């Protein structure tokens, strides 16, 4: 059994899944104002509904970002605390990969650009595709690495144009300059179920990590600083 959570996508979402990715319990509350108060009671409710205890969980899966700083901080802190208290491994999932996976599930798209509004006139951006080496029963969108980088995740300015004419998905899709005929889907919004399915596939492939290495991914390295400290005010 796996416990997955997300507070990055302006929501509080919790899911419990088995090793095949089947959902035992899933709850999502939209909005981000009450995430700190909602997350632990929602975890308790999900465990109760699935008739499980944390001791029955094999790993904790969380949205590691990039995305909203406060949302990343909340679910990372909760996962780290539960990991230490119950000696459970952690699995961090990319928010951009989750958007791509949702686009595959929702629209059947097998190669996309993920774009998440990062504010400050920028979007978080990455390219993902279905690869030939996926398991038949566990199809996962994988990152497409740039030739000059070991990561697909980056920041792009508003109105940037993509290199390829493939679909752009996520709430940042309309903030980029589309090529002629390029398809956009801004309504793709993952929940903890998608985070959990990706995390299970990752756990099966490479295992989890301890709390000390369950780290967030901001992309903006100074995101925790005030605007004045960043030199923006």
């Amino acid at each position: 059994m796996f416990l997955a959570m997300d507070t990055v996508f302006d929501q509080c979402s919790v899911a419990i899944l088995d090793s095949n990715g089947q959902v035992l319990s899933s709850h999502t509350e939209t909005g981000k104002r009450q995430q700190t108060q909602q997350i632990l009671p929602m975890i308790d409710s999900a465990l109760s509904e699935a008739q499980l205890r944390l001791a029955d969980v094999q790993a904790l899966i969380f949205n590691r970002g990039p995305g909203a700083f406060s949302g990343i901080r909340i679910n990372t802190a909760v996962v780290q605390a539960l990991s230490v208290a119950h000696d459970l491994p952690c699995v961090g999932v990319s928010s951009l990969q989750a958007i791509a996976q949702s686009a595959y599930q929702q629209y059947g798209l097998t190669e996309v650009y993920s774009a998440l509004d990062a504010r400050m006139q920028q979007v978080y951006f990455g390219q993902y595709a279905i690869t030939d080496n996926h398991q038949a029963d566990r199809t996962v969108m994988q990152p497409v690495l740039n030739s000059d980088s070991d990561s697909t995740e980056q920041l792009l300015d508003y109105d940037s144009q993509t290199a390829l004419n493939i679909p752009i998905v996520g709430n940042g899709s309309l903030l980029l300059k589309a090529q002629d005929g390029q398809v956009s889907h801004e309504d793709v919004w993952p929940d903890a179920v998608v985070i959990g399915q990706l995390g299970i596939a990752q756990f099966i492939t490479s295992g989890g990590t301890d709390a000390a290495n369950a780290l967030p991914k901001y992309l903006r390295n100074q995101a925790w600083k005030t605007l004045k400290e960043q030199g923006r005010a």
Side-chain angles (χ1 to χ4, degrees):
M1 303 300 171
F2 296 83
L3 171 61
M5 66 191 75
D6 168 59
T7 57
V8 177
F9 289 119
D10 290 349
Q11 64 188 2
C12 193
S13 186
V14 173
I16 295 177
L17 306 91
D18 66 18
S19 58
N20 294 316
Q22 297 301 308
V23 180
L24 281 71
S25 178
S26 173
H27 297 280
T28 298
E29 297 288 340
T30 58
K32 59 183 179 180
R33 293 187 176 182
Q34 302 298 321
Q35 289 171 320
T36 304
Q37 291 77 25
Q38 290 173 331
I39 184 67
L40 290 177
M42 287 180 68
I43 290 173
D44 287 340
S45 295
L47 288 168
S48 177
E49 182 176 329
Q51 299 183 351
L52 296 172
R53 301 171 302 159
L54 273 172
D56 301 316
V57 172
Q58 189 170 6
L60 305 168
I61 303 170
F62 69 106
N63 186 342
R64 62 153 175 81
F69 170 72
S70 59
I72 296 173
R73 181 186 61 187
I74 290 168
N75 68 186
T76 301
V78 170
V79 162
Q80 289 175 335
L82 293 178
S83 173
V84 170
H86 298 276
D87 193 25
L88 295 171
C90 309
V91 181
V93 171
S94 164
S95 59
L96 295 174
Q97 185 182 16
I99 292 172
Q101 186 70 14
S102 291
Y104 167 73
Q105 295 178 358
Q106 189 171 340
Y107 292 105
L109 301 174
T110 57
E111 185 172 17
V112 300
Y113 290 119
S114 289
L116 179 63
D117 188 3
R119 314 298 181 185
M120 299 183 186
Q121 302 296 305
Q122 290 182 313
V123 298
Y124 302 114
F125 182 83
Q127 183 180 350
Y128 298 85
I130 298 296
T131 59
D132 293 334
N133 60 357
H134 67 270
Q135 300 176 29
D137 61 343
R138 203 181 297 278
T139 305
V140 173
M141 286 287 234
Q142 298 289 356
V144 177
L145 302 181
N146 300 320
S147 58
D148 57 349
S149 173
D150 60 356
S151 174
T152 185
E153 300 174 340
Q154 58 184 298
L155 280 164
L156 286 185
D157 293 333
Y158 285 0
D159 294 324
S160 296
Q161 191 172 64
T162 61
L164 301 176
N165 191 343
I166 60 175
I168 312 174
V169 297
N171 75 342
S173 58
L174 298 183
L175 301 173
L176 299 174
K177 183 179 180 180
Q179 299 187 33
D180 291 341
Q182 191 168 19
V183 174
S184 296
H185 293 289
E186 63 175 331
D187 60 337
V188 177
W189 206 246
D191 61 7
V193 171
V194 177
I195 299 294
Q197 291 167 343
L198 288 173
I200 292 169
Q202 184 175 321
F203 183 81
I204 291 172
T205 301
S206 55
T209 186
D210 59 17
N213 291 296
L215 302 176
K217 184 70 173 287
Y218 295 116
L219 286 190
R220 284 198 183 106
N221 293 329
Q222 296 184 341
W224 53 275
K225 294 185 177 181
T226 65
L227 291 178
K228 183 176 181 180
E229 288 172 330
Q230 294 177 41
R232 295 178 179 268

